Amino acid sequence: MAKVVRTKWVLLLVVLGVCFLVACGDASEVDQEVEDGVDSGVEVDEEANQSEQSDSLVIGFSQVGAESEWRTANTQSIQDAIADAGHELQFSDAQQQQQNQIMAIRSFISQGVDAIVFSPVVETGFETVLQEAKDAEIPVFLVDRAVDIDDDSMWVTFLGSDFVEEGRKAGRWLVDELADVEGDINIVELQGTVGSAPAIDRKEGFEEIIADHPQLTITQSQTGNFTRTEGKEVMEAFLRSDGDNIDVLYAHNDDMAIGAIQAIEEYGLKPAEDIIVIGVDAVKGAFEAMVAGKMNVTIECNPQFGPQLVELIEAHFAGEELPKRIAVEEDMFTMDQAADLIDSRTY
Ligand code: GYE
């Protein structure tokens, strides 16, 4: 019996010993695996890095300038989206000068960037440089503003707003607002940058709607170049020449409307009461003016299409065929909605 017990103990010890050795073996194998694992982990990461690097693009972006709140938000959205996607950005601010944009694009071409993002300050005069980009086989993505060129093979796609529709929305809002008002209505218009797509199209859309309402007339129309300063200056001139007969201001963007509001107040009139104020963009400043009761309506033009743009660029490099025009969706906001919405506005 004692022998059996001893034998059992011996067997147990042997089993434990074997287990220990196996365990050690396992442990050292595990150690080995950890080492291998670390190594192979690094290799995997390197592969990921390499593929990230090879997928990572150098993107040249020729931006119009920094003329408005809209533009600042647009630049930020595109810069963030490109950085978040791990691409490299070459940024150039043209300060609203066409010549600067042509130089920037030429420089992107000579650097051999992978793609060019381009928001043309004006619609015409870019054929030569776009042809140069095409010859260099660098895909061009037009954003925000279009060009007036028939050969649409010069760019991959255009991503932006329907400015004619924005002008129509402004016109329709005004027609509704004045539905019960009798007599002639004098409208002054602050146009955007001369020759730019949003100035041309916002004018066209607005005129198309008011054309059916002969009591509505644009009595004065001039450019304020999309800036607050020039918007104010031009509104001062409008007021000087015909101050008591202005019923409506239609500004092609909010910044000019905000500048003009100041001019109206300095002239001794009440913006939004004595003169109806219409803007475009729906930037924070317009919401502040509406909450303060100084602006009647703003038509939305959404600048935050950076993520959508990056998706399109990546889709192009993945071999996808893109439509030639892609619209950004937008809305319209009135004075009575402004207080509820102001905090949710992100630009
Ligand atoms: O409305 C204006 C900016 O091209 C849509 O340019 C853009 C316009 C925008 O300066 O504020």
Side-chain angles (χ1 to χ4, degrees):
M1 184 78 165
K3 204 177 170 192
V4 173
V5 171
R6 227 180 297 133
T7 314
K8 273 190 186 160
W9 270 109
V10 170
L11 271 174
L12 189 64
L13 284 174
V14 168
V15 169
L16 281 175
V18 169
C19 283
F20 177 75
L21 286 176
V22 169
C24 282
D26 276 356
S28 54
E29 267 169 35
V30 169
D31 281 351
Q32 192 55 48
E33 269 171 23
V34 168
E35 276 168 28
D36 287 352
V38 169
D39 278 344
S40 61
V42 169
E43 271 166 30
V44 170
D45 282 349
E46 267 171 11
E47 272 167 27
N49 279 348
Q50 273 165 11
S51 77
E52 234 171 59
Q53 272 161 16
S54 55
D55 286 351
S56 162
L57 303 165
V58 179
I59 301 171
F61 173 26
S62 170
Q63 177 61 297
V64 167
E67 73 284 0
S68 63
E69 274 188 54
W70 188 97
R71 188 66 54 197
T72 314
N74 179 246
T75 300
Q76 193 66 50
S77 171
I78 294 177
Q79 283 176 337
D80 289 351
I82 288 178
D84 289 350
H87 302 304
E88 185 189 323
L89 174 67
Q90 303 282 329
F91 180 76
S92 169
D93 172 346
Q95 298 176 346
Q96 299 225 70
Q97 299 302 315
Q98 176 164 46
Q99 228 19 63
N100 291 342
Q101 291 206 292
I102 293 174
M103 271 161 44
I105 294 171
R106 291 213 164 114
S107 143
F108 295 150
I109 296 171
S110 66
Q111 284 173 61
V113 298
D114 298 306
I116 293 174
V117 173
F118 173 37
S119 178
V121 62
V122 289
E123 285 190 339
T124 54
F126 287 109
E127 286 85 348
T128 312
V129 77
L130 285 176
Q131 184 62 50
E132 287 164 21
K134 187 177 170 185
D135 294 344
E137 293 177 8
I138 300 176
V140 172
F141 295 80
L142 287 180
V143 290
D144 161 33
R145 298 184 181 180
V147 285
D148 186 9
I149 298 175
D150 288 337
D151 179 5
D152 66 7
S153 72
M154 291 195 179
W155 58 91
V156 176
T157 187
F158 165 78
L159 170 65
S161 303
D162 184 341
F163 301 137
V164 178
E165 187 54 25
E166 290 169 357
R168 288 192 198 111
K169 282 184 187 165
R172 286 190 207 113
W173 179 86
L174 184 63
V175 166
D176 272 9
E177 183 70 9
L178 299 176
D180 301 328
V181 178
E182 305 258 301
D184 289 343
I185 301 292
N186 295 334
I187 305 167
V188 295
E189 180 183 35
L190 281 170
Q191 294 182 38
T193 302
V194 175
S196 70
I200 296 167
D201 295 353
R202 286 173 186 165
K203 185 172 185 47
E204 184 189 317
F206 185 80
E207 282 178 344
E208 181 191 308
I209 299 298
I210 66 163
D212 294 336
H213 303 269
Q215 76 278 23
L216 303 182
T217 318
I218 297 179
T219 51
Q220 301 187 78
S221 180
Q222 249 187 64
T223 180
N225 209 17
F226 282 128
T227 68
R228 283 187 193 203
T229 323
E230 286 174 73
K232 179 168 187 265
E233 281 166 14
V234 177
M235 190 68 199
E236 282 165 355
F238 288 163
L239 287 161
R240 265 198 310 273
S241 83
D242 199 20
D244 298 333
N245 294 312
I246 299 174
D247 303 303
V248 178
L249 162 67
Y250 169 45
H252 289 187
N253 81 342
D254 291 334
D255 283 74
M256 292 189 296
I258 292 164
I261 286 171
Q262 228 185 310
I264 296 170
E265 288 180 317
E266 286 172 14
Y267 186 78
L269 293 175
K270 283 209 160 89
E273 280 181 34
D274 298 324
I275 298 179
I276 290 176
V277 179
I278 305 173
V280 184
D281 279 352
V283 294
K284 255 290 183 351
F287 275 80
E288 284 159 5
M290 290 194 293
V291 169
K294 298 178 179 186
M295 185 165 168
N296 302 76
V297 65
T298 182
I299 313 299
E300 186 179 36
C301 181
N302 181 6
Q304 292 177 320
F305 51 70
Q308 201 181 346
L309 168 67
V310 169
E311 267 176 34
L312 293 174
I313 296 174
E314 289 175 350
H316 169 79
F317 279 94
E320 261 179 58
E321 197 62 40
L322 298 174
K324 279 289 168 186
R325 190 179 176 113
I326 298 170
V328 173
E329 281 189 3
E330 36 226 5
D331 213 326
M332 155 170 103
F333 306 102
T334 55
M335 203 193 258
D336 45 314
Q337 300 172 292
D340 287 342
L341 292 175
I342 189 163
D343 290 336
S344 65
R345 301 297 297 166
T346 49
Y347 64 94

